[in-house]
Amino acid sequence: KAGVTQTPRYLIKTRGQQVTLSCSPISGHRSVSWYQQTPGQGLQFLFEYFSETQRNKGNFPGRFSGRQFSNSRSEMNVSTLELGDSALYLCASSLGWGDSNQPQHFGDGTRLSIL
Amino acid sequence: QKEVEQNSGPLSVPEGAIASLNCTYSDRVSQSFFWYRQYSGKSPELIMSIYSNGDKEDGRFTAQLNKASQYVSLLIRDSQPSDSATYLCAVRGSSYKLIFGSGTRLLVRP
């Protein structure tokens, strides 16, 4: 069974540009969450999607947005990139939403570097 | 006060010893608790989950939960150098968000 797939694995952008990251969840998983991981801040929750609807949102500015498609695949977009957006962006999937016992399984992440 | 707190470490133990990793959380109605292991340069990997008070054992790993004290721990028996990694505690609280601690770095000395 394939795991969570994130593309691309590495990305280099310059300040002011925008970027779109993609995540395909484990087959059968319908909930997708996104996290930002930096050495200083640890793993920070961005948002969670289920059934194409955003169910939860973290404390990030509006430059960070996401969406989920009918096949449960998800994308996140960051506009007007800043140097501080350099981080590892992780996607995690789980079976559903509303059952707190459902664990999340992570993809390998996209490492974004802003020059 | 952070929602999920862990000692950043490093926690250094000799090979074969028991490593004890601790985590406290602030949301009293938190319902589910997870431990993830993250090797350097890799993504977090789920190793244990626990939902009710008491102990849960899986191989060399034991998770312990005390909801009254808002405390969850992970014990690793017979620690191996391959256990050297950062261990992340994650708590799902009333908002249903999965909130992670900053992680404890474990170093197992051969």
Side-chain angles (χ1 to χ4, degrees):
Chain A
K1 197 173 185 180
V4 178
T5 304
Q6 291 188 246
T7 55
R9 290 293 312 278
Y10 303 92
L11 207 48
I12 299 175
K13 291 286 187 179
T14 57
R15 282 183 298 172
Q17 288 187 309
Q18 75 166 21
V19 66
T20 299
L21 311 182
S22 180
C23 172
S24 293
I26 292 171
S27 178
H29 283 197
R30 297 175 59 201
S31 178
V32 172
S33 297
W34 288 91
Y35 296 87
Q36 181 195 66
Q37 188 173 38
T38 59
Q41 297 296 318
L43 206 59
Q44 301 289 312
F45 172 76
L46 280 156
F47 25 66
E48 181 172 13
Y49 286 87
F50 174 75
S51 288
E52 301 176 67
T53 302
Q54 189 179 88
R55 302 292 175 155
N56 245 320
K57 189 177 187 308
N59 298 321
F60 279 81
R63 301 185 297 108
F64 292 81
S65 62
R67 59 179 177 168
Q68 185 181 36
F69 302 96
S70 58
N71 61 357
S72 297
R73 190 177 69 86
S74 177
E75 289 181 346
M76 68 163 281
N77 184 77
V78 188
S79 62
T80 319
L81 286 165
E82 301 177 357
L83 291 177
D85 297 333
S86 293
L88 178 66
Y89 290 87
L90 290 159
C91 169
S93 74
S94 58
L95 272 173
W97 190 84
D99 177 0
S100 64
N101 291 350
Q102 286 294 327
Q104 293 183 354
H105 300 272
F106 284 85
D108 290 335
T110 294
R111 186 162 296 280
L112 175 63
S113 298
I114 311 302
L115 304 179
Chain B
Q1 181 190 8
K2 287 186 178 179
E3 293 179 84
V4 180
E5 296 211 52
Q6 296 181 255
N7 188 317
S8 61
L11 172 66
S12 180
V13 300
E15 184 175 353
I18 296 175
S20 178
L21 305 162
N22 306 314
C23 172
T24 58
Y25 58 94
S26 60
D27 186 342
R28 287 189 166 276
V29 298
S30 295
Q31 299 174 33
S32 50
F33 308 85
F34 306 90
W35 283 99
Y36 287 81
R37 176 176 62 199
Q38 187 173 25
Y39 292 111
S40 181
K42 301 292 186 181
S43 63
E45 171 194 13
L46 178 70
I47 53 173
M48 288 286 289
S49 59
I50 187 166
Y51 313 116
S52 53
N53 281 329
D55 294 0
K56 180 182 177 183
E57 188 174 318
D58 184 0
R60 294 186 297 112
F61 299 99
T62 298
Q64 299 175 317
L65 175 62
N66 184 325
K67 290 187 178 180
S69 301
Q70 296 175 236
Y71 175 91
V72 59
S73 65
L74 179 70
L75 301 178
I76 306 175
R77 289 182 301 282
D78 188 24
S79 295
Q80 301 297 309
S82 60
D83 294 326
S84 298
T86 296
Y87 289 80
L88 301 167
C89 171
V91 177
R92 198 188 298 278
S94 54
S95 68
Y96 196 68
K97 294 177 188 178
L98 191 60
I99 306 299
F100 285 80
S102 56
T104 298
R105 191 158 69 94
L106 173 66
L107 179 63
V108 181
R109 309 186 306 271

